[in-house]
Amino acid sequence: MNQNLYSLLAAHFPKNPSAPCMILPDGRVWTYGDVERASARMANLIVALGLKPGDRVAAQVEKTSEALVLYLAAIRAGMVFLPLNPAYQRYELEYFLGDANPGLFVCRPQTRALADELAAKAGVPHVLELDDAGRGSLIDAAAPQPDVFATAARSTGDLAAILYTSGTTGRSKGAMLSHGNLAHNAKTLHAYWHFQPGDVLLHMLPTFHVHGLFVACHCVLLNGSAMFFEPKFDAARAMSLLPQSTVMMGVPTYYVRLLLDPGFGRETCRSMRLFVSGSAPLLRETFDEFKARTGHTILERYGMTEGGMFTSNPYAGERRGGTVGFPLPGTALRIVDAGGTAVKPGVVGNIQVKGDNVFVGYWGMPEKTREEFTADGFFKTGDMGSFDADGYVTISGRSKDLVITGGLNVYPKEIEELIDAMPGVVESAVIGLPHPDFGEAVTVVVVRQNNAAGRALTESGIIAAIKDSLANFKVPKWVYLVDELPRNAMGKVQKNILRQQYSPMKTR
Ligand code: AMP
């Protein structure tokens, strides 16, 4: 059987080709028949351009239905899809095009000149355009192509996509994902989260990332059901679409923003059956408030570009706030100390995973790939965490965010949780800054609430409040009060930016 991911998805498309797949903001509907035909035309175009199976198709475009069809066409034609964040500028783009060497680069019209220049430099033979309304030379060139296409034969290990990691340290790496990787995770999540006929997903995530492109879209396509396909998250828009939806996937910030609307509550969520959160830690406060206001318990899950999802809170059982649930079926997850020995429940260690969803390796970096896998084939995620007595996993943060002060390990989350619980605090981020005596000094950046309690916060007050709860070496040496934390498009707090920002201020 053809192991092409598209064949798997298409096998689950509804019998009726006029069933809706994507519902757009202006009310236009893409049926499953439309998706089949448009992806066939685009796949034919890609082949006609001379690309061969395994060649890369890079796209730096806004989220549109046509952009999703481009992804499907690329894998259907046997190519390797390479989505790029539209925020990337010259320096990043030059690296990605040079590194991945695509046979086709699809760009936005406003960056065409730069795309041509960099494509010429990197030897990329074809550049086409797709604008933010889903029009452009890509669509024009595909229009006359036949609207049937025999999906290219691919085996489980053949590559379907390369996703560059956000690369906060050093150069970003291209995670190679195979058809088998993506199919395995798609089937697991579809079953684990109980997707059912008639589900309607509210899709507001970006599609250059694993969360929006794979987790959300694959569940919908495998389910043969519909999604509201929105260009981006917008709380007011979400409020109007939620009463017509059954599932929403989001990063924690989406849920925080929904809760800011006093009108958001049970009535808005009356038709919903599932809210999923991930890509960054969901604050306990958000989890609790969401439950109190809507009656829904957000299901938090954990994963990464290098393998899709690894753990999830249960659909039917207890969803435990502050945890990311259990290892998913088919994913072996272990937590080990620096010597590679499994740690006991409650002890923080390094998270390692193995399974059919775990990526093939980093593009063009065999050495780096070898370093990131253990001798028995587990991938070192770089995340630290622990099991509780019932087997729920809690994430403590990235190992590179671990603060080592006077030779002792400090896990940011432990301190962040204490500070977050203080009156007047929205959230906090603990980082290590260079310190002449301690190596690193525990530093906390605290976001104040815009109210009297927030204004009453002081650096010494924060330290005094937590001093009795923590060993002395964990108590922050420096405290900064701010109005918000820097976040990337996936809602992750960018601690590297905080470290850069506050390092020069450390000599006080
Ligand atoms: P990315 O590859 O961009 O998807 O980022 C993956 C990283 O996001 C993981 O390695 C974790 O550090 C973090 N992450 C993802 N989901 C969660 C979660 N539910 N809680 C805490 N961190 C998470």
Side-chain angles (χ1 to χ4, degrees), residues 215 357 480:
V215 180
N357 51 325
Y480 295 100

Side-chain angles (χ1 to χ4, degrees), residues 165-166 209-211 277-282 300-306 324 381-383 395 397-398 488 490 492:
T165 58
S166 32
H209 184 268
V210 55
H211 196 168
S277 175
S279 293
L282 180 71
E300 188 171 4
R301 94 295 178 281
Y302 152 71
M304 68 197 299
T305 304
E306 286 91 334
V324 292
T381 63
D383 288 315
I395 307 293
R398 301 285 300 159
N488 71 9
M490 298 313 294
K492 287 189 224 297

Side-chain angles (χ1 to χ4, degrees), residues 81-233:
F81 189 63
L82 200 161
L84 294 168
N85 185 340
Y88 288 144
Q89 302 291 328
R90 165 187 287 273
Y91 172 75
E92 290 130 332
L93 211 52
E94 183 168 3
Y95 170 68
F96 295 129
L97 294 182
D99 192 49
N101 201 244
L104 166 64
F105 177 40
V106 181
C107 71
R108 301 160 77 204
Q110 50 270 61
T111 59
R112 179 63 194 249
L114 177 66
D116 280 339
E117 179 197 327
L118 299 179
K121 214 165 164 183
V124 178
H126 301 285
V127 178
L128 289 172
E129 291 173 19
L130 183 63
D131 73 14
D132 302 355
R135 293 171 309 223
S137 54
L138 171 75
I139 304 301
D140 299 343
Q145 292 289 335
D147 60 9
V148 286
F149 183 85
T151 298
R154 297 276 80 193
S155 58
T156 322
D158 286 329
L159 297 191
I162 298 177
L163 264 68
Y164 279 85
T165 58
S166 32
T168 46
T169 48
R171 275 281 114 119
S172 93
K173 306 177 285 287
M176 299 188 283
L177 295 155
S178 67
H179 286 265
N181 290 152
L182 298 179
H184 180 272
N185 213 226
K187 286 190 281 192
T188 305
L189 299 175
H190 179 263
Y192 204 77
W193 294 338
H194 291 216
F195 269 84
Q196 46 199 254
D199 265 336
V200 179
L201 182 130
L202 176 55
H203 195 307
M204 291 191 148
L205 290 159
T207 45
F208 54 79
H209 184 268
V210 55
H211 196 168
L213 185 60
F214 301 147
V215 180
C217 290
H218 291 171
C219 278
V220 169
L221 296 173
L222 257 190
N223 203 47
S225 54
M227 58 181 154
F228 288 111
F229 204 66
E230 293 284 307
K232 60 177 182 5
F233 177 78

Side-chain angles (χ1 to χ4, degrees), residues 254-295:
Y254 296 1
Y255 298 119
V256 171
R257 293 211 206 134
L258 280 170
L259 287 168
L260 286 178
D261 188 325
F264 176 72
R266 279 172 198 268
E267 189 50 25
T268 331
C269 303
R270 60 185 180 267
S271 64
M272 291 296 290
R273 70 167 182 86
L274 180 63
F275 288 94
V276 179
S277 175
S279 293
L282 180 71
L283 289 178
R284 198 46 207 261
E285 197 185 315
T286 312
F287 177 88
D288 290 339
E289 193 186 339
F290 203 89
K291 194 168 179 175
R293 292 260 296 272
T294 68

